[in-house]
Amino acid sequence: MRGSGFILLLFALVLVSSCAVAFDPLDPTGNITIKWDVISWTPDGYVAMVMLNNFQMYRHIMSPGWTLGWTWAKKEVIWSMVGAQTTDQGDCTKFKGNIPHCCKRTPTVVDLLPGVPYNQQIANCCKGGVVASYGQDPAAAVSAFQVSVGLSGTSNKTVKLPKNFTLLGPGPGYTCGPAKIVPSTVFWTPDKRRKTQALMTWKVTCTYSQILASKHPSCCVSFSSFYNDTIIPCQSCACGCENKNCIESDSNQITMPGINTPSKDNSPLLQCTHHMCPVRVHWHVKINYKEYWRAKIAISNFNYRMNYTQWTLVVQHPNLDNVTEVFSFEYKPLVPYPSINDTGMFYGMKYYNDLLMEAGTYGNVQSELLLKKDVNTFTFKQGWAFPRKVYFNGDECMLPPPDVYPHLPNSSPVSSRFGFHNFATVLFPLLLLTIW
Ligand SMILES: *[C@@H]1O[C@H](CO)[C@@H](O)[C@H](O)[C@H]1NC(C)=O
Ligand SMILES: *[C@@H]1O[C@H](CO)[C@@H](O)[C@H](O)[C@H]1NC(C)=O
Ligand SMILES: *[C@@H]1O[C@H](CO)[C@@H](O)[C@H](O)[C@H]1NC(C)=O
Ligand SMILES: *[C@@H]1O[C@H](CO)[C@@H](O)[C@H](O)[C@H]1NC(C)=O
Ligand SMILES: *[C@@H]1O[C@H](CO)[C@@H](O)[C@H](O)[C@H]1NC(C)=O
Ligand SMILES: *[C@@H]1O[C@H](CO)[C@@H](O)[C@H](O)[C@H]1NC(C)=O
Ligand SMILES: *[C@@H]1O[C@H](CO)[C@@H](O)[C@H](O)[C@H]1NC(C)=O
């Protein structure tokens, strides 16, 4: 017994340290990779294609999009850019005639908005910095621009890699590693009859940490069931109650113009609730059939200033390996480790419910799912039918406490939901981590 306590403590320590290095057990290789391909040398520098690939399964970059920064190693300038722009030109007074696009030592780059003229575009640019998650839409999980750099090295021996990359997307949370030279990228022509090669390629990898992004969760989960009238609400102040303004849903303020205008710093304007979360996920255990059971998921938006485009929801539940039908969301199993298949992602159907509207009448989306019972594990006891983990847009939501769930009538509330499945789904990845 004492031994197992020690092992638990050890796991807890690993859990804490794993957060510090931005390890997400449900998406262990998730990252954003920024790749620079030098496609030509110029008299005083080079032209590079910069490509940002989002390899995160369920974390996308929403409007107002990404912001990329770096520090030049020498006194480089940016002569021009295609498909993106710097936000500040900086001091270019020492240039006569041809003036650079940006002279700052630490340029800050943003994507162009959709609708720029064709001659100012390149492939995968100009989406307002919005990048889909890899799990939802791999083809849209990319963003690109071209940069022409001057006063830099002009060969792969003299070029110095930019340093100190920073990625905001659109808030904080990402940490980028150093740029590293990698084998040159090979490009194929569309007809696949000719290939060309970058003159030099380097890569930067950025990873996300929810703890760096914000002190509090940004969503919470509530439970209900057909077998008990009790609704288990979100925990009070699940998303932090301090320094938060909110407006009551029956206040006449909400009909005033401008209430839905996003603020410059992207701060929310919340409807007052006891949880103070911008998003709530409700899980309802709806029907029990002989061989199946049915659950209903409803996601509600309490932020008047946010439309969640291309939202994603990740759920961990031991029965997700037997999803039979999902009625009005898209569903994709996530398999972070070959031995674990109890996790899946849900997202909206295109043009139907892929937009979770601002708080108010239309600020919710919902679906039902049908699951096949596995006679050996299925039970309504001990809250088994409720999810073990829930993420909205890649951030983990606050669940009710482990022993709080609608009880089956006459079932004793003795044991918590900590059973074998928690070992398999929580501790096993950590075990892998410790072996690492
Ligand atoms: C980033 O993600 C890609 C694609 O999943 C993976 O191949 C690569 O190893 C990851 N990089 C890091 C440093 O984790
Ligand atoms: C630099 O370019 C030369 C040819 O110009 C090539 O042989 C060499 O492999 C390149 N080095 C790197 C690091 O790309
Ligand atoms: C790296 O960038 C951050 C943010 O732009 C800045 O605060 C920091 O001083 C930079 N570090 C170096 C070594 O340039
Ligand atoms: C959300 O979308 C609707 C319809 O496109 C728009 O009228 C509204 O202003 C948007 N709200 C926000 C907060 O962007
Ligand atoms: C899913 O996981 C279970 C138990 O971990 C395993 O028995 C089953 O073979 C897995 N299925 C797939 C398709 O990987
Ligand atoms: C549940 O799924 C697993 C793996 O996909 C399969 O082996 C098993 O037979 C399924 N159980 C039921 C009751 O269909
Ligand atoms: C319903 O669940 C609640 C919370 O778990 C519990 O306190 C209550 O006794 C249950 N009701 C019945 C009729 O069992």
Side-chain angles (χ1 to χ4, degrees):
M1 277 290 104
R2 271 162 108 196
S4 70
F6 174 72
I7 288 168
L8 268 179
L9 181 70
L10 201 71
F11 279 134
L13 285 175
V14 171
L15 185 68
V16 168
S17 58
S18 75
C19 290
V21 298
F23 181 78
D24 181 350
L26 300 186
D27 188 12
T29 60
N31 69 74
I32 293 183
T33 299
I34 300 154
K35 190 175 62 141
W36 290 52
D37 286 307
V38 175
I39 52 174
S40 64
W41 300 113
T42 59
D44 73 336
Y46 58 90
V47 177
M49 280 289 309
V50 181
M51 196 159 231
L52 190 150
N53 277 286
N54 185 5
F55 290 123
Q56 301 179 104
M57 287 308 286
Y58 44 76
R59 195 172 295 113
H60 63 315
I61 299 183
M62 266 199 317
S63 183
W66 53 261
T67 301
L68 182 65
W70 63 84
T71 307
W72 288 118
K74 298 192 284 189
K75 297 210 175 331
E76 290 88 338
V77 294
I78 298 173
W79 282 117
S80 63
M81 276 188 142
V82 187
Q85 64 185 4
T86 58
T87 55
D88 183 356
Q89 184 180 26
D91 179 6
C92 292
T93 49
K94 69 174 188 181
F95 290 86
K96 303 272 184 299
N98 228 354
I99 309 289
H101 171 80
C102 177
C103 299
K104 285 191 73 125
R105 213 168 160 248
T106 55
T108 300
V109 178
V110 294
D111 194 10
L112 297 181
L113 297 175
V116 299
Y118 280 111
N119 62 358
Q120 291 168 34
Q121 292 191 17
I122 59 159
N124 295 312
C125 85
C126 315
K127 302 188 283 189
V130 172
V131 185
S133 67
Y134 197 81
Q136 183 168 357
D137 189 353
V142 54
S143 194
F145 61 89
Q146 187 180 302
V147 60
S148 174
V149 181
L151 306 189
S152 69
T154 55
S155 77
N156 69 8
K157 305 258 172 348
T158 53
V159 119
K160 288 271 183 297
L161 308 190
K163 294 196 270 209
N164 197 17
F165 277 86
T166 55
L167 177 67
L168 297 176
Y174 287 97
T175 313
C176 300
K180 287 196 182 119
I181 294 175
V182 296
S184 296
T185 307
V186 170
F187 301 98
W188 285 93
T189 56
D191 63 5
K192 299 258 179 202
R193 294 182 62 196
R194 176 181 147 79
K195 63 177 181 180
T196 57
Q197 201 178 321
L199 302 171
M200 186 178 182
T201 301
W202 61 82
K203 261 186 193 173
V204 176
T205 304
C206 306
T207 52
Y208 182 81
S209 153
Q210 186 175 345
I211 299 201
L212 280 182
S214 84
K215 200 164 74 168
H216 295 292
S218 51
C219 50
C220 63
V221 183
S222 53
F223 293 159
S224 62
S225 67
F226 68 86
Y227 52 77
N228 182 324
D229 288 342
T230 309
I231 295 173
I232 306 293
C234 278
Q235 297 200 43
S236 290
C237 296
C239 299
C241 281
E242 70 271 22
N243 313 326
K244 282 200 177 167
N245 293 322
C246 67
I247 46 181
E248 300 291 343
S249 60
D250 57 2
S251 139
N252 56 13
Q253 256 183 293
I254 65 166
T255 57
M256 294 201 316
I259 186 111
N260 299 123
T261 309
S263 68
K264 255 210 154 79
D265 62 354
N266 220 19
S267 64
L269 179 59
L270 295 182
Q271 180 180 316
C272 298
T273 56
H274 70 99
H275 52 76
M276 290 300 269
C277 289
V279 169
R280 181 190 66 203
V281 179
H282 184 75
W283 182 278
H284 176 64
V285 177
K286 191 173 173 185
I287 304 178
N288 185 20
Y289 304 106
K290 194 151 159 271
E291 288 177 33
Y292 297 89
W293 60 290
R294 194 188 263 257
K296 179 175 174 175
I297 302 173
I299 312 174
S300 308
N301 185 358
F302 294 98
N303 184 354
Y304 288 104
R305 286 190 190 146
M306 179 70 92
N307 284 336
Y308 291 96
T309 52
Q310 296 202 297
W311 58 267
T312 63
L313 183 77
V314 170
V315 174
Q316 190 174 33
H317 185 282
N319 215 165
L320 282 186
D321 60 350
N322 289 95
V323 170
T324 304
E325 192 168 357
V326 178
F327 292 92
S328 37
F329 292 164
E330 305 283 356
Y331 176 72
K332 198 176 269 186
L334 292 172
V335 190
Y337 303 96
S339 54
I340 294 172
N341 51 21
D342 61 352
T343 306
M345 77 183 266
F346 300 85
Y347 51 95
M349 291 178 166
K350 216 164 192 167
Y351 309 120
Y352 175 59
N353 56 9
D354 59 343
L355 171 67
L356 171 58
M357 279 278 276
E358 66 207 16
T361 321
Y362 304 105
N364 62 82
V365 289
Q366 46 197 288
S367 178
E368 295 192 359
L369 60 156
L370 191 64
L371 301 130
K372 192 166 197 313
K373 292 178 184 173
D374 179 343
V375 282
N376 298 319
T377 51
F378 178 82
T379 173
F380 282 125
K381 284 185 190 154
Q382 294 171 358
W384 187 87
F386 294 98
R388 311 304 192 255
K389 269 189 185 203
V390 174
Y391 288 43
F392 178 78
N393 276 358
D395 278 333
E396 190 168 355
C397 304
M398 171 87 95
L399 289 166
D403 51 350
V404 177
Y405 48 84
H407 279 272
L408 266 184
N410 303 325
S411 89
S412 57
V414 233
S415 166
S416 75
R417 288 183 289 139
F418 246 95
F420 169 74
H421 276 284
N422 278 72
F423 177 80
T425 58
V426 179
L427 299 187
F428 179 68
L430 292 175
L431 196 65
L432 281 184
L433 192 71
T434 49
I435 292 166
W436 251 4

